[in-house]
Amino acid sequence: MSRDAGPVAVPTYPRVPVPLSARAVLTVDLHALRANWARLNQASGRAECAGVLKADAYGLGLAPIAKALTSEGCKTFFVASVDEGRAAREVQPGATIYVLDGLLPGAEPHYAGFDLRPVLASLPEVRDWAAYCRARGRRMAAAIHIDTGLNRLGMPESELEELAASPELLSAFETTLVMSHLACADHAEDPMNERQRLRFEALRAKLPPAPASLANSGGLFLGQPYHFDLVRPGIALYGGRAHENKPNPMQTVVRLAAKILQVREVSPGQSIGYGATYKVAKPSRIATIAVGYADGFLRALSVATGEAGPVGYIGDYPVPIVGRVSMDFITADVTEVPPELARRGAWVEVMGHRVTVDDLTDRAGTIGYELLSRLGQRVYRVYEGTGV
Ligand SMILES: *Cc1c(COP(=O)(O)O)cnc(C)c1O
């Protein structure tokens, strides 16, 4: 191909070999993940930087993500459930693992058996954990979750005061962390952040001194007053945007590409896909690409006539996505791409450095967290940078 004939199409995707039968490939760049953790660790100053691994590490695969973060120096992890905690424990025998769900009734032995620390979110949970510790004759570790305004999980002030006045409860177990969670950390200027920080200061002071934690990714970028002793980033590790309306300093971790199954000529006036919502205006070549909403490519990314939609890339050639997203397929206009590149079996990158997860979810009216955590199991997964 001549280099002066417009963009240079380099079919670089994917960089690692995948089976010829793979129709869509999710590439997780563990180099970029580790660089992101190192950057957040740096930004958190003297506070410890943990890693949040809930929902299969935001859909990217708990085991490889946990291993990569550990190799970079991360020692503390947060998961949502006991099952996730068990999966994390299997790959990280030495790590500290907190379970954000708190303590499910009767599930104490599961926490103890896998050395998981419940994030106790109510007085009944504290009572159960204290009773279990006493029965076992061991002061086992747990976090105490204080609500500072999110009103989701965490102890309200009244319960906290009752706990503070119950030394026999507090002495039964070891409080290794006192934490709360911010409601508006993705908006740096929101006054709710400062309100929650001050409330956290005031409420935690009622308990005996213990390491404290308030910040998720967004909170971490709010600066040192939000760091306390430990920060808990999730989305920023995975390359997502922590703050809306601000440049994203994190490296891209996730790329999604899929193969062209068929290319067809479509004449003016004809429509493409379900609902016949997209009509072509001029003679076009349309590629059907093997990724759909069952793979996590959100149906809200569908494009009707006259709408600006997401763009995929074949090498350096942008290919506008057109028509409805269906369960298994999307369609893209490849009229401007040389036919030898836009051919059956060629890769189209639909998410990556150029079209980020946040670009897609802004258009779909959702957030990167949702797209990543809903990536389908059908997508072939590749981990780059597994060697340290
Ligand atoms: C999910 C979660 C985090 C991580 O949040 P990000 O916005 O992804 O950084 C931290 N703390 C708690 C309690 C969470 O539920």
Side-chain angles (χ1 to χ4, degrees), residues 7 58 68 126 138 209 275 337 348:
Y58 291 45
V126 171
R138 270 179 59 206
V337 185
V348 182

Side-chain angles (χ1 to χ4, degrees), residues 52 54 58 100 152 179 181 216-218 232-236 369:
V52 178
K54 63 198 188 193
Y58 291 45
L100 291 165
R152 198 175 63 172
M179 60 164 269
H181 194 37
N216 63 340
S217 303
R232 314 184 303 265
I235 195 71
Y369 302 72

Side-chain angles (χ1 to χ4, degrees), residues 64-131:
I65 297 284
K67 281 184 197 155
L69 292 176
T70 301
S71 75
E72 197 62 32
C74 183
K75 295 182 168 56
T76 301
F77 297 100
F78 289 81
V79 295
S81 70
V82 171
D83 288 342
E84 291 174 357
R86 187 180 310 169
R89 176 57 71 217
E90 268 163 27
V91 290
Q92 294 312 334
T96 297
I97 302 172
Y98 287 101
V99 178
L100 291 165
D101 275 354
L103 186 62
L104 291 171
E108 292 86 345
H110 296 270
Y111 296 80
F114 295 96
D115 188 16
L116 307 175
R117 302 183 179 184
V119 179
L120 305 170
S122 69
L123 208 46
E125 289 177 45
V126 171
R127 288 201 187 99
D128 284 356
W129 190 246

Side-chain angles (χ1 to χ4, degrees), residues 43-278:
S44 43
R46 285 208 304 272
E48 180 184 352
C49 188
V52 178
L53 298 176
K54 63 198 188 193
D56 200 27
Y58 291 45
L60 305 187
L62 183 144
I65 297 284
K67 281 184 197 155
L69 292 176
T70 301
S71 75
E72 197 62 32
C74 183
K75 295 182 168 56
T76 301
F77 297 100
F78 289 81
V79 295
S81 70
V82 171
D83 288 342
E84 291 174 357
R86 187 180 310 169
R89 176 57 71 217
E90 268 163 27
V91 290
Q92 294 312 334
T96 297
I97 302 172
Y98 287 101
V99 178
L100 291 165
D101 275 354
L103 186 62
L104 291 171
E108 292 86 345
H110 296 270
Y111 296 80
F114 295 96
D115 188 16
L116 307 175
R117 302 183 179 184
V119 179
L120 305 170
S122 69
L123 208 46
E125 289 177 45
V126 171
R127 288 201 187 99
D128 284 356
W129 190 246
Y132 184 71
C133 287
R134 268 198 227 99
R136 296 266 309 243
R138 270 179 59 206
R139 291 180 73 237
M140 285 181 282
I144 293 178
H145 195 164
I146 306 177
D147 179 58
T148 53
L150 185 62
N151 279 308
R152 198 175 63 172
L153 293 177
M155 277 187 238
E157 185 168 10
S158 55
E159 283 195 3
L160 199 68
E161 278 170 352
E162 206 178 324
L163 176 62
S166 314
E168 76 290 354
L169 278 183
L170 283 168
S171 63
F173 64 96
E174 190 188 355
T175 304
T176 50
L177 194 68
V178 174
M179 60 164 269
S180 189
H181 194 37
L182 295 166
C184 304
D186 52 343
H187 287 97
E189 67 294 342
D190 197 306
M192 180 96 177
N193 294 318
E194 175 79 352
R195 278 206 302 276
Q196 282 193 271
R197 185 175 69 75
L198 295 174
R199 188 142 178 81
F200 184 56
E201 296 270 23
L203 292 178
R204 84 183 180 101
K206 294 179 190 282
L207 294 175
S213 175
L214 179 63
N216 63 340
S217 303
L220 195 161
F221 286 115
L222 294 176
Q224 197 271 331
Y226 288 83
H227 294 167
F228 294 92
D229 301 297
L230 179 140
V231 293
R232 314 184 303 265
I235 195 71
L237 291 172
Y238 309 118
R241 181 177 65 196
H243 282 177
E244 283 195 24
N245 319 318
K246 277 206 190 163
N248 180 357
M250 309 317 292
Q251 291 189 28
T252 300
V253 173
V254 187
R255 306 200 304 279
L256 179 63
K259 276 179 186 163
I260 295 179
L261 299 174
Q262 188 174 95
V263 180
R264 65 202 313 117
E265 311 276 343
V266 180
S267 7
Q270 286 193 302
S271 65
I272 297 162
Y274 284 131
T277 52
Y278 187 94

